[in-house]
Each structure stands twice: as structure tokens, then as C-alpha cells.
């Protein structure tokens, strides 16, 4: 019995050691793939496209244009397959920095239900604010306790979009609809050249005519070079109605890719669990910086 116990204990320790080794190897593979993508992003930020003159002009305005397709896919590191996903964060709305009007406009554009939109927006705001005082048509700590909820409002910014599932009134179906349009980190800017229509509607100052101009230029394969180019009357001089609206939109909207989220999923072996690493790369002119990784 004693010998059997020692054998079982030794086997358990061996399994734990192998699992730890697999995790370490998997993380090393993921970090190597991340470093490779970061090097490509850095090079793109410092140089312009060559060969195609038209593409070179476009890239000079946005060297990270099209990161979702250019840097995403499956790559091989030695004999290991690594899944890489890059995305322009300017295509989503940051639910931690968005104000009430922005959230309302986005949810209404996607859900097409004013009552449901109002309830969800108020409860999202109550979840992230620092107090326990409920807004109108909302819920705070006492309401969650009364309903027997397992998780109470965090009273802090959201750490992940999936955390929205804990908000009272949020269903899996609604979360599936909203998730592609949302993020929880990075700056609050929105890219006019990559954001979907629902996200564009959440920009302060956005009108149906300006939105139509943006979508029309994009549908023709044209890159929007400036906010003023899609705002009627924006070139009428300082103080004109068009320039005021352009300034309001330009406070949040940009026309280039400034923040890229890179997600790496790597597996050390057939029986090893996948390791996920996520990082945020921010560009400022021709320089790029890694703002955080997890």
C-alpha cells in the first residue's frame, strides 16, 4: 500500500511537471509569434509601401491599413501552428470611455429597440460607475441581491466585453449581437475608414448626410483622408457651421489605424492546453509602442 501510494504520488507530480513544461513552452511560442507581428507592425510604421505608387500614397497616410487581413491567419513556428489575429481597435466603441449618448446610439442602431436600449445603457453605466445609486430604469447592488445574482455590479471599468453577460437584462443573444462592435481598452477614437455603420453612428456630431458621405467614399474604394472631406461646408472657414461640426466629429474620429490589438493562440503539443496572449500596439507617427500585454 505504501509503495502504491508513492507510485501514485510520483505519477501525479510527473503529470503536473509535464503540464507546467507544456504551458511554459506554449507561452514561449506565443510570445515569439507576438514579437514577430510586432516587428512587422514597427517596420510598416517606419516605411512606405514600394512598387505600387498608388498603394504607397495610401500607406503613407495609414501604414497599418488593413491589419485585420494582412497580419491575421495561421503561421508556423518550427513545427507548431500558431493562430494570429490582429484588429484595428478604431472599428469598435470603447464601452469604458463612451458616454451615455454614444452607448445609446450604438445599441439603438444594432438592437432597433428603444426601450431595451435604454434599460441596457443605464445598467451598463451603473455597472461601471463607482456608486451604488441606481439610475432610472436601472439596477444596482440591492436589485442584483434581490434577484439572487451570483455576481454584483463591479463599480469599475469593464475588464472584458464578456463581462457584459453579468449585467442585468443582458442575454447571450444580445451579447452576441453587440460584441463585434465593442471593446474595453485603448483610446476612445473611432476610425472613419474601418468602423462599421453602427459604430460610426455613435460619433458625436455624426449626421445622416455625413454618414452617407463616409459610406459612399468607402463603397467606391476611396480612403477618407480627413474628417473635413466628408463634412459639408467644413472648408468654409473658422466659425462656419461645417467647420464646427467637423471639429466636433474630429474630437473622437480619426482617419487612420492607430491602435492594433494582437491576439496569439499557441499550443505546445497535441495534449497541451492552448496558451493565449493578447497585446495592444499603439502608433504615433512613425513610432509604435507596446502599451500592455497579458
Amino acid at each position: 500500500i505504501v509503495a502504491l501510494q508513492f507510485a501514485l504520488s510520483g505519477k501525479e507530480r510527473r503529470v503536473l511537471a509535464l503540464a507546467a513544461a507544456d504551458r511554459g513552452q506554449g507561452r514561449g511560442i506565443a510570445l515569439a509569434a507576438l514579437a514577430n507581428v510586432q516587428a512587422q507592425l514597427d517596420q510598416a510604421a517606419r516605411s512606405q509601401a514600394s512598387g505600387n505608387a498608388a498603394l504607397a500614397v495610401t500607406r503613407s497616410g495609414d501604414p497599418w491599413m488593413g491589419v485585420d487581413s494582412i497580419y491575421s491567419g495561421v503561421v508556423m513556428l518550427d513545427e507548431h501552428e500558431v493562430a494570429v489575429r490582429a484588429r484595428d481597435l478604431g472599428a469598435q466603441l470603447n464601452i469604458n470611455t463612451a458616454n451615455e449618448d454614444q452607448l445609446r446610439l450604438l445599441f439603438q442602431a444594432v438592437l432597433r429597440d428603444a426601450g431595451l436600449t435604454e434599460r441596457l445603457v443605464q445598467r451598463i453605466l451603473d455597472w461601471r460607475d463607482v456608486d451604488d445609486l441606481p439610475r432610472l430604469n436601472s439596477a444596482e447592488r440591492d436589485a442584483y441581491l434581490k434577484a439572487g445574482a451570483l455576481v454584483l455590479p463591479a463599480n469599475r471599468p469593464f475588464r472584458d466585453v464578456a463581462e457584459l453577460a453579468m449585467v442585468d437584462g443582458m442575454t447571450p443573444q444580445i451579447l452576441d449581437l453587440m460584441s463585434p462592435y465593442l471593446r474595453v481598452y485603448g483610446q476612445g477614437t473611432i476610425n472613419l475608414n474601418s468602423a462599421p455603420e453602427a459604430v460610426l453612428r455613435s460619433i458625436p456630431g455624426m449626421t445622416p448626410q455625413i454618414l452617407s458621405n463616409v459610406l459612399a467614399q468607402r463603397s467606391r474604394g476611396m480612403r477618407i483622408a480627413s474628417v473635413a472631406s466628408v463634412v459639408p461646408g467644413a472648408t468654409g472657414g473658422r466659425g462656419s457651421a461645417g467647420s464646427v461640426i467637423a471639429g466636433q466629429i474630429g474630437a473622437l474620429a480619426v482617419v487612420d489605424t492607430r491602435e492594433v490589438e494582437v491576439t496569439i493562440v499557441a499550443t505546445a503539443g497535441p495534449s497541451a492546453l492552448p496558451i493565449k496572449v493578447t497585446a495592444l500596439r499603439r502608433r504615433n507617427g512613425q513610432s509604435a509602442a507596446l502599451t500592455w500585454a497579458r
Side-chain angles (χ1 to χ4, degrees):
I1 293 174
V2 172
L4 179 60
Q5 185 63 41
F6 273 115
L8 291 174
S9 178
K11 183 178 180 181
E12 289 176 358
R13 293 187 179 185
R14 180 174 179 274
V15 170
L16 290 175
L18 290 174
D22 285 341
R23 287 196 300 272
Q25 185 180 6
R27 183 164 181 81
I29 295 169
L31 291 176
L34 176 60
N36 181 49
V37 177
Q38 290 180 169
Q40 295 180 59
L41 290 170
D42 291 345
Q43 182 179 9
R46 293 192 300 267
S47 61
Q48 296 182 6
S50 59
N52 188 321
L55 182 59
V57 173
T58 302
R59 291 287 184 197
S60 66
D62 187 1
W64 285 356
M65 183 181 66
V67 291
D68 303 65
S69 57
I70 295 175
Y71 301 103
S72 298
V74 177
V75 299
M76 295 298 298
L77 287 180
D78 294 330
E79 71 278 10
H80 301 288
E81 285 190 356
V82 182
V84 180
R85 182 195 177 197
R87 65 169 182 163
D88 173 13
L89 288 186
Q92 291 86 33
L93 180 69
N94 188 333
I95 57 176
N96 287 325
T97 61
N99 60 32
E100 182 175 343
D101 288 337
Q102 290 176 268
L103 290 172
R104 184 180 293 111
L105 288 168
L106 175 63
F107 275 72
Q108 176 62 27
V110 177
L111 301 180
R112 308 286 184 179
D113 186 324
L116 177 59
T117 290
E118 194 61 31
R119 290 193 299 273
L120 289 174
V121 168
Q122 297 302 318
R123 292 170 190 187
I124 288 171
L125 293 171
D126 271 336
W127 184 279
R128 78 182 195 193
D129 67 19
V130 296
D131 60 58
D132 289 321
L133 301 175
R135 290 173 168 80
L136 186 65
N137 297 323
S138 185
E140 271 285 7
R141 180 184 179 88
D142 291 343
Y144 281 80
L145 287 171
K146 185 176 180 180
L150 298 177
V151 181
L152 302 180
N155 293 341
R156 56 159 173 75
F158 289 88
R159 294 177 178 174
D160 191 276
V161 173
E163 190 178 346
L164 281 170
M166 308 299 177
V167 174
D168 183 54
M170 182 66 69
T171 66
Q173 294 76 20
I174 295 175
L175 185 57
D176 285 343
L177 287 173
M178 297 304 308
S179 291
Y181 306 101
L182 301 172
R183 57 184 167 107
V184 296
Y185 38 74
Q187 298 173 326
T189 55
I190 295 173
N191 189 348
L192 294 181
N193 284 298
S194 64
E197 180 180 344
V199 176
L200 292 174
R201 290 182 180 275
S202 70
I203 299 175
M206 182 64 67
T207 66
Q209 184 180 2
I210 298 172
L211 178 62
S212 177
N213 292 342
V214 171
L215 297 177
Q217 286 197 37
R218 284 169 41 171
S219 66
R220 293 195 296 268
M222 300 171 59
R223 177 180 175 272
I224 299 168
S226 68
V227 173
S229 67
V230 295
V231 179
T235 58
R238 293 185 60 183
S240 65
S243 64
V244 171
I245 295 175
Q248 184 181 5
I249 293 176
L252 186 67
V254 296
V255 294
D256 56 354
T257 307
R258 300 186 180 182
E259 292 181 304
V260 174
E261 177 200 67
V262 181
T263 303
I264 309 290
V265 179
T267 306
S271 59
L273 294 175
I275 299 296
K276 181 180 177 180
V277 174
T278 303
L280 177 62
R281 200 77 174 175
R282 181 174 297 159
R283 182 177 65 84
N284 183 15
Q286 292 187 329
S287 63
L290 180 68
T291 58
W292 62 263
R294 64 180 182 186

